[in-house]
Amino acid sequence: MQRTNKICLRSQQFRGGYSLAFLEDRETDWLALFKSFLPQINQSQPVVGWTLLQDVDMPRRLRRRTWRVDGIPSVAGGVVILKCEENLRKWNFDRWFRGLFVSGIDLLKRVERARARGFTFPMRTFLVAERCERGFLRERISICEFIKGTAPDAARLPEIMKKVVEAHKFGLCWGGDPNLGNFMVDAGGQLRGLDVYPGRAAWRERAQDLMCFSDLGLQLPRFYPSVAIVRAQRIIKRYLKKLRGRAG
């Protein structure tokens, strides 16, 4: 699919309380595609052309479902990835406040800005729909790029780490979980990053990503004070937990 480097986005409100952001291009009407997907997302029966890849209950009462959707003539390869995340937690001020800094819509914009500067490593998101109640995220639906390829082996971990460090410069991170399952080698042999964390890569998130590589035995490219701080925080937390266990 041919695209320009210019970021061309539309944002609008949609029925059902969804806030949308999506790419505008000549090939695909993402809004129309979203409208056709929406009635089918919560159907109990399998939908023709939809393959359920993931249906898991995540920690903290989050449910994530992922489908591969085939047979879309306007999309290169005819395939997209559809993700739906549901937040079943109760509202409280702390969760509401932290949610202000985690937005799939903002992630879409950051990925497109990175692509405009030639950084094509992160998986692309074409449309994000978010539904909130009292400012608290309840549901996020994303239409994402399908990357055909193979899982990387451990020998490519140093290269993955370099790509993740570069992604940090664009505010992109993996939420402290840059494991091999979150990366792909595409048909051209290029590394691609999947499942980018929707929150902005603040110092703590960057440090957590890097600590994962360090824990796997990789030498970090330089000394990062943020990594030292987060590592010290973890040691202190473990020590305090032991003290509470002894006191109990």
Side-chain angles (χ1 to χ4, degrees):
M1 189 185 303
Q2 295 295 320
R3 297 179 184 275
T4 65
N5 283 339
K6 182 180 179 182
I7 304 173
C8 192
L9 297 173
R10 280 182 59 194
S11 300
Q12 69 176 64
Q13 293 296 121
F14 187 70
R15 64 177 182 270
Y18 291 102
S19 297
L20 297 183
F22 52 95
L23 296 183
E24 286 190 306
D25 57 53
R26 294 185 298 273
E27 294 87 1
T28 306
D29 186 342
W30 298 110
L31 179 58
L33 199 59
F34 170 71
K35 290 178 181 178
S36 69
F37 286 170
L38 193 57
Q40 304 180 70
I41 285 175
N42 292 311
Q43 285 189 9
S44 57
Q45 296 298 321
V47 181
V48 175
W50 289 39
T51 303
L52 184 64
L53 303 177
Q54 182 185 55
D55 187 353
V56 295
D57 292 323
M58 308 292 288
R60 306 185 188 94
R61 300 194 69 199
L62 298 174
R63 184 188 183 194
R64 178 181 297 166
R65 289 172 293 160
T66 306
W67 295 270
R68 168 178 166 156
V69 185
D70 295 83
I72 306 171
S74 61
V75 176
V79 186
V80 295
I81 295 295
L82 179 65
K83 298 180 181 180
C84 180
E85 296 177 329
E86 296 177 88
N87 182 1
L88 306 176
R89 293 175 291 184
K90 292 183 178 179
W91 188 98
N92 65 39
F93 178 79
D94 180 58
R95 290 171 182 159
W96 168 81
F97 181 76
R98 284 185 292 173
L100 296 177
F101 304 96
V102 181
S103 169
I105 291 175
D106 185 49
L107 171 62
L108 186 159
K109 295 175 181 178
R110 280 181 277 128
V111 170
E112 289 305 305
R113 292 191 192 104
R115 289 182 64 86
R117 294 173 61 182
F119 187 61
T120 59
F121 174 65
M123 179 176 71
R124 207 169 190 192
T125 301
F126 303 121
L127 177 144
V128 176
E130 295 183 334
R131 179 175 59 83
C132 297
E133 294 177 3
R134 294 185 295 167
F136 189 47
L137 180 68
R138 285 300 178 193
E139 185 180 25
R140 177 184 295 124
I141 300 171
S142 306
I143 300 176
C144 305
E145 175 186 10
F146 171 73
I147 301 173
K148 185 177 181 180
T150 58
D153 56 35
R156 300 197 73 163
L157 274 172
E159 186 182 354
I160 291 173
M161 181 175 66
K162 290 180 181 178
K163 291 289 188 180
V164 169
V165 170
E166 189 174 357
H168 287 168
K169 299 175 183 178
F170 297 98
L172 303 168
C173 69
W174 276 262
D177 188 29
N179 64 75
L180 285 175
N182 283 331
F183 304 94
M184 181 76 73
V185 180
D186 66 19
Q190 299 298 311
L191 276 171
R192 300 293 306 279
L194 314 178
D195 293 330
V196 184
Y197 180 63
R200 184 174 289 274
W203 69 271
R204 185 184 298 275
E205 285 71 24
R206 296 196 300 270
Q208 289 173 339
D209 279 356
L210 292 169
M211 281 179 61
C212 286
F213 294 113
S214 178
D215 292 342
L216 291 171
L218 271 69
Q219 181 70 39
L220 298 183
R222 62 178 179 81
F223 173 73
Y224 292 88
S226 58
V227 173
I229 292 170
V230 172
R231 199 179 295 279
Q233 288 176 334
R234 288 188 178 181
I235 293 171
I236 293 170
K237 284 182 180 179
R238 284 198 296 266
Y239 176 71
L240 293 176
K241 187 176 180 180
K242 286 183 179 179
L243 287 181
R244 287 195 295 266
R246 292 172 184 171

